[in-house]
Amino acid sequence: MARPRFLDADLCQGVAAGALAAAAALALWWPSKPVQPTAPAAASVAAPAMATRPAQPAPPLVRALDLGGARVSEPVRRVAQWVVDSADNGQQPFVLLDKRGARVLLFDAGGRLLGSSPVLLGYARGDDSVPGIGERPIEAVRSSERTTPAGRFVAEPGRNALGEEVIWVDYEAAVSMHRVRLNKREERRAQRLATPSPADNRISYGCINLPHGFFEQQLWPTLRGRRAIVYVLPEQKLLEQVFPALTRAALPQARTSA
């Protein structure tokens, strides 16, 4: 138990007073000795200041969508191209979540695909979170409310109530990206991730479950200590309803022959 601060102050004052009294008594008892003059200190010569180079500006970010040959759906390609062309992600890496395909794609800030992985999603289909669901205990969440919301989110790394590393996608709704949990054998989450079909990837309460290897080797090292933009594509709504800027994006004009 920490002591009150005033006891520490009183103790310090008592020690200081005792030290002064002892020093005075020692000065009276010890014979005095003539003080020898000391030579003046040599004048210090200041070292010449080192010339500092001005900080070099960071090279401009090269933006170009680079899927590295990966095959993606047309909605994924369209959103990724819009993000790169409009610089909607700023200087931050970004993530695209294709709910229909149950797959996540990780990009660097310029639009280069860093990795992709299957994921597990909310049990119920839908593009909106139930208001206030993040404040409710898990056992109070009905099956029909276990949705993964669609939209643009500013994500941040952090820890959940269990102390696990997570990427918070929608903190208010308690939706995050995290390692897949295998504590309930009957849910067969590892097997669901391994199947080629996305049809059986609906099992979570809304969070995005990823394989341990992808989370630890790609997602967490890329997003640790920084923000990222996460784009969750809808499965029921239109893309333009979730990302209105897509309707304002300039499309290349088709050439017509005379």
Side-chain angles (χ1 to χ4, degrees):
M1 180 177 178
R3 292 179 299 168
R5 292 183 60 186
F6 70 86
L7 289 181
D8 293 335
D10 290 343
L11 180 60
C12 290
Q13 291 175 1
V15 172
L20 290 175
L26 184 60
L28 292 175
W29 177 81
W30 196 263
S32 60
K33 184 177 181 180
V35 179
Q36 299 295 329
T38 58
S44 59
V45 180
M50 296 294 292
T52 58
R53 296 181 180 179
Q56 296 296 323
L61 181 63
V62 178
R63 297 184 182 275
L65 180 61
D66 181 5
L67 294 171
R71 299 178 62 182
V72 299
S73 67
E74 184 57 31
V76 168
R77 182 183 295 275
R78 185 181 174 195
V79 173
Q81 191 67 64
W82 161 69
V83 171
V84 172
D85 292 345
S86 65
D88 184 78
N89 62 312
Q91 301 287 319
Q92 300 158 325
F94 63 98
V95 175
L96 262 61
L97 174 58
D98 180 10
K99 287 205 292 179
R100 291 179 180 176
R103 178 164 288 271
V104 69
L105 299 95
L106 173 65
F107 294 85
D108 68 10
R112 180 171 62 93
L113 182 63
L114 300 177
S116 176
S117 171
V119 295
L120 300 181
L121 302 170
Y123 174 81
R125 296 186 181 275
D127 296 319
D128 298 295
S129 292
V130 175
I133 196 168
E135 302 297 325
R136 288 156 55 183
I138 284 183
E139 57 271 16
V141 178
R142 295 188 292 269
S143 297
S144 60
E145 298 174 328
R146 293 163 56 177
T147 56
T148 299
R152 179 190 187 276
F153 302 93
V154 179
E156 294 188 16
R159 293 183 181 273
N160 60 15
L162 301 176
E164 300 169 330
E165 297 165 335
V166 302
I167 303 296
W168 287 111
V169 176
D170 186 346
Y171 186 83
E172 296 300 324
V175 174
S176 67
M177 293 188 287
H178 59 72
R179 302 172 182 87
V180 61
R181 296 192 183 121
L182 307 176
N183 53 322
K184 293 184 179 180
R185 184 176 299 178
E186 66 276 12
E187 291 183 342
R188 301 174 56 254
R189 295 200 178 199
Q191 292 86 341
R192 291 171 185 269
L193 281 171
T195 60
S197 171
D200 59 352
N201 289 41
R202 317 303 295 251
I203 189 64
S204 80
Y205 280 80
C207 284
I208 303 153
N209 288 211
L210 298 105
H212 285 236
F214 183 82
F215 185 93
E216 295 169 358
Q217 298 168 21
Q218 294 185 278
L219 187 74
W220 186 254
T222 302
L223 306 188
R224 177 178 55 195
R226 64 186 304 175
R227 291 182 175 181
I229 309 299
V230 175
Y231 303 88
V232 182
L233 276 62
E235 56 188 341
Q236 293 182 339
K237 295 181 178 180
L238 297 176
L239 277 178
E240 292 80 6
Q241 289 179 276
V242 177
F243 307 112
L246 282 174
T247 61
R248 301 191 298 269
L251 298 177
Q253 298 293 326
R255 290 188 177 183
T256 58
S257 58

